[in-house]
Amino acid sequence: MISAENMNRRSFLTRTAALAASSVIAARLSPALHAADESGPEFRSSWDRALDRVWLGADVWANPLQDWRVANGRAECVNAAPDRNVHVLTRQLVARSGTADVRVRIGRVGGGPLAGKGSAGFRLGILGSLKDYAELHDYRNNLWPIGPSGIAAGFSADGALFIGRIGQPNAVKLDLAREAVDLHLAVAPAGENYEAVLTATDPRDGKVLAQAKLGGLRGDALVGNIALVCNFPAADGGSGGGVATKGKAKAKGAEKGAAGAGPGLGQFWFSDWRVGGTKVAVRETQTFGPILWSQYTLHAGVLKLSAQMPPLGAGDADTVRLQIQDGPGGAWKTAQEAKIHADARVVAFRVEGWDAKRDVPYRVAYTLRHRGGETEHFWTGTVRHDPVERDELSVADISCNIHTIFPNVPLVQSMAKLNPDLLAFTGDQFYESTGGFGTQRSPHAPAVLDYLRKWYFHGWTWRDLMRDRPSVSLPDDHDVYQGNLWGEGGEGQKTTQEAGGYELPAAWVNVVHRTQTAHHPDPYDPRPSKRDTINYYGPLTYGRVSFAVLADRQFKSAPEGKVPPTGDRGDHVINPNYDPKTADLPGLELLGGKQEQFLRDWVLDWRGADMKAAISQTVFTAMATTHGGNHEILMADYDASGWPQTARRNALRELRKAFAVHIAGDQHLPAVVHYGLDAHRDGPVAFAGPAVNVGYPRWWEPAKTGRNKTTGNAALTGDFLDHFGNPLTVIAVKNGPYEPPRPVLESVNAKTSGLGLVRFKKSKRTITFECWAYSADVTKPGTQMETWPVTVSQFDNYARKPAAYLPTLNFKGVNDPVVQIFEEKTGELLYAYRLRGNKTRPFVFALGRYTVKAGDPDLNKWTAVSGVDAEAEQTKELFVTI
C-alpha cells in the first residue's frame, strides 16, 4: 500500500541515532570552515624538488589541469591562453588586520626575453559563487570564481608593472629585456584601508627594476584565495579592483581597463613561489593528492576498490598498494599491489574471500618520488561490514551536479548526518561547464586531462563519504560531454547527437567508464560492446538487498532517421497533434538484448537477498512537460526513457517479476512515480531523485500538454499518460518557480536542488523515499519537500489486479524461502520473491496450472510442485517440505 506520510517522532528518534557517529565526517568535509585562522610559516612551492609531471602538487590547484606541468623544477603554463592560474590550497587571506607577502620568479617558457606578448603575476582575494555567504566560505569554492574576482598585480610583457587591473593608465614602466624577473607583492594596513606595493627585481643581482603602488584597498577585497596568473584578462580585478571609493565614483581607469585588448598571450614559467604574512591563514591539511580519493563495493565476498590518482610523470612510481590493518591498532599489511592505468590514472584492486562480517580499516599507500628522495602517502578509510543483520538499508540517490556552489558542503554535511549505507551516483557527476574553461575534446591526451579535471570536482565533493561506505557511479550524457546520449551499444557518433552514438573516441569514453566504475562488482558481460567500449552493468548485493546496476544510456537507440521528423531538434516534439504510436518501431532498444538477459537472470537470483531494486541513470517514463529557461512545452522528449515503448515494457516486465523498485536521477524534477505497462500501477515504482545543483530546469504541468485528458485529473498527482502514451501515476512531485531568485544559494533551493534517500525496511518489505531541498535541516521532522516522504510496499511494484489465486502455501524445512511462480502453459516465470515467514497465497493473472518452485538459494536447496491449479475464490492449503 502506497502512503505519503510525515516523519513521526519514533522514526525521527531512530534516525537521529546515527548523527553522533557521522559528526566526525561532517566536521572534516570543509577544513576551511573548521580550521583555526592561524598565521604561521610561509608557503613555499616545492617544484624545484618535484619530478617532471602534469600534476603540480598536493598543495596547489591548476586551472585548467592540462595547461600546466612541472618541468625543469618550475611550474610551466604550456598554453598561451587567457587567465591560466594556479591557486595555493594551504593558504588563504582571512578577515583580520595584518600583512600579506607574496613572491615568485617568472620567465618565458622556452627561454628568451620576457618582452613581447602576455602578462603574469598574482591575484589576491579570490572568492567564488559563495562570496556573499560568509558562513559558507570554502577555499575550494574560490578555485572557480564566477566573473572577475580578486586584485591583480603583475607585469605585462609590453613593459608595464601594475596593481589593481592590467592596462591601468597609472602603471609604471618595466624593462623586460631579460629572461626572468622576481616579483614581490607586499600588502599592509594603511589607515582604514590597505596599501599594496609591487616590486620587480633582477634575479641576477637583486637590482630593483620598477615599483608600483596602490593605496585605498578595502579590507573586504583582501579575503579569499591567492593565485599565480598567466595572461590576465583585460578586465581582471573586477569593478574598482578592491579600491575604496565614495558614493558612485569609480576607480581611475576602470572603464578603460575593462575594455582594453590587453598585451596578448604568452607562455610563462614560475618558480620559488612564497606566500606569508599575518593576514594569511595557514591550513596545512587542505591538500589534494597524490591519492585523491577511493571508491569501493562489496559483493559476494569480493571487495572491489579503486583509488583515483593525479596525472603523474614518467619518473614516478606506477604502482599503488592496498593495505589492511591487522586488528585494532595492529600492523598494516599489503593485501595487493596494482598498477595505475596510464590513461584513466585510476588504480583498481580486486580482493576475493573478503571477510564481510566486520568493519576493516584500510589505507591506500603510494610512494611519491622527488629529487633526492621519496615520501610515503596514505589515504585511509573503512570497508564497512555487510549490514545483513540490520533491518533497514539506506541508499543515497545523487545526480546532476553542475557544481554551481562547489563543493556543496551544506548538502554533503546533510548527507553525512543521514549516514546512508550505499551511495548511488546516478549520472551527470559534473557538467561541461564545471570548473570553467569549457571543454577540450582533442587531442586525446589533453582531452583526458580535461575530463579528469572535471571528475576531480566530483571526487573532491564526496570523497569523505565514499571512503567509508560503498558506492556506485553511473556515467550519463554530460559525463561524456554530450547534452543527450543515445549510445547505440557504444557506437561512434554517426552524424548528429540525435542520430546516436558517442561523440568522442572509445579510448576517451573508456577513461570515463574506468574512473567511474572500476570499483563496481564484476560486470555481467565482461566482453566490451561496440568499439571495445567497457561494460559495467551487473549485480550488486549489499545488506540483503539485490541491486541491478543498469546502463540505460549506453545501449539506447537514437531517434533521428527512425522516428517521424520532429522539426529543428531531433529529440524534442512540439507538434500538439503528435501520435506517440508512430515512434514505437520494431528493433528499437532501451537496454539491449544482453542487458535484458542479465535482468532475466537477476530476477531469479536471490542469493543473500530479501528485496530487489534497479539503479539506472533515468526513470523509464517521460514525465517532464516543460523544459528549460524558456519554459518550452513539449509533446514528447526522446531523451526520456518512456521511449522506445516496446523496449521499455520489456525492461519493466522483468523488473516487476522481482517486485523491484527503481532508483534513478537525470530529470532535475524530483518525483515518485508508479509505472504502468498495460494499465496504471501494474509496473514498478520509481524515484527520480532531485539534482544536487539544477542547471537546466524542468516542470510537470500536465494540463498544458493534455496529459490529464484521459483521466480528467486536474491535479499534479494521480493517473496520467506520459509523452509516449504509457500509463503514469504520479505519487509525489516538486516543481520550482519559473523565475528563481537571483542569489545563488536561494536559487539552488528554489530550483528544487537537493538530496534523496531510499530506505529498505526488510522486516516489512517496504521502501520509503525521502527528499529534501538543498538547505533543509535533515535532522528535523517535517522538513522534506512537499508530498514526501512516500512509503510503498514491495508488492506495489507489481500491483496488477489478480484474476485468481493459488492455494495457501505452507513451507517446511527452510525459513523465509524464495518462491518462484511459473505458468505451465508458457513455461514463463510469473514472478519471484523472498517470503517473510513460511506462509503465502500467491496471486496469478489467469486461471490455469502453475509450478511453484521454492527453496533456499544460499544452500541450493529447492523443491518444485507442479500442476497447482489457480482458482478465483481460493480456499485450499498446500503443505510443501523443502
Side-chain angles (χ1 to χ4, degrees), residues 435 746 804:
E746 288 78 355

Side-chain angles (χ1 to χ4, degrees), residues 167-471:
Q168 295 230 84
N170 56 355
V172 300
K173 291 184 178 180
L174 174 64
D175 179 9
L176 292 173
R178 62 197 74 247
E179 292 194 351
V181 67
D182 286 344
L183 293 185
H184 174 206
L185 178 64
V187 179
E192 295 181 354
N193 296 303
Y194 284 81
E195 182 182 58
V197 179
L198 179 63
T199 305
T201 58
D202 192 319
R204 295 170 296 184
D205 55 16
K207 178 182 178 182
V208 174
L209 303 174
Q211 190 174 78
K213 296 182 180 181
L214 182 65
L217 294 173
R218 302 190 309 269
D220 61 358
L222 293 168
V223 174
N225 281 18
I226 301 167
L228 300 174
V229 179
C230 183
N231 300 314
F232 291 94
D236 197 49
S239 179
V243 179
T245 60
K246 294 182 179 180
K248 296 183 179 180
K250 294 184 178 180
K252 184 177 180 182
E255 297 91 346
K256 184 175 180 179
L265 304 171
Q267 295 174 297
F268 297 95
W269 56 255
F270 301 80
S271 69
D272 197 20
W273 185 20
R274 306 185 194 187
V275 178
T278 58
K279 192 173 171 56
V280 177
V282 176
R283 293 157 177 169
E284 298 290 1
T285 61
Q286 291 179 178
T287 57
F288 192 48
I291 307 162
L292 303 180
W293 73 88
S294 61
Q295 306 167 94
Y296 78 86
T297 57
L298 186 58
H299 168 75
V302 177
L303 172 71
K304 297 280 293 290
L305 185 146
S306 67
Q308 185 64 59
M309 304 295 289
L312 299 165
D316 285 301
D318 64 354
T319 59
V320 180
R321 289 154 284 145
L322 174 62
Q323 298 181 332
I324 308 302
Q325 192 170 26
D326 188 13
W332 290 96
K333 296 183 178 180
T334 297
Q336 270 190 12
E337 186 169 355
K339 282 195 172 186
I340 303 169
H341 190 274
D343 246 8
R345 276 77 171 191
V346 71
V347 59
F349 301 98
R350 186 182 188 277
V351 184
E352 296 184 358
W354 187 264
D355 182 3
K357 295 180 180 179
R358 63 186 183 96
D359 295 343
V360 179
Y362 73 88
R363 69 183 188 185
V364 180
Y366 180 70
T367 304
L368 184 66
R369 297 170 183 167
H370 52 82
R371 298 176 191 273
E374 56 188 30
T375 55
E376 290 294 312
H377 294 266
F378 304 99
W379 174 260
T380 61
T382 299
V383 177
R384 295 184 177 187
H385 75 283
D386 188 350
V388 295
E389 80 289 352
R390 284 201 280 111
D391 187 30
E392 184 177 278
L393 184 85
S394 58
V395 180
D397 185 1
I398 305 168
S399 69
C400 302
N401 192 350
I402 204 168
H403 292 282
T404 309
I405 50 178
F406 169 78
N408 299 286
V409 169
L411 185 126
V412 179
Q413 287 179 333
S414 293
M415 189 64 81
K417 293 172 184 176
L418 292 171
N419 196 21
D421 298 300
L422 173 68
L423 302 173
F425 297 104
T426 53
D428 294 341
Q429 276 61 263
F430 57 82
Y431 285 73
E432 293 89 330
S433 61
T434 294
F437 300 93
T439 60
Q440 182 167 353
R441 298 164 184 254
S442 65
H444 177 74
V448 166
L449 294 175
D450 190 67
Y451 161 76
L452 290 175
R453 174 174 64 97
K454 296 178 186 297
W455 171 237
Y456 291 167
F457 275 76
H458 168 79
W460 216 348
T461 297
W462 297 102
R463 65 179 185 163
D464 280 310
L465 292 182
M466 292 189 289
R467 72 201 300 168
D468 289 332
R469 72 205 69 216
S471 64

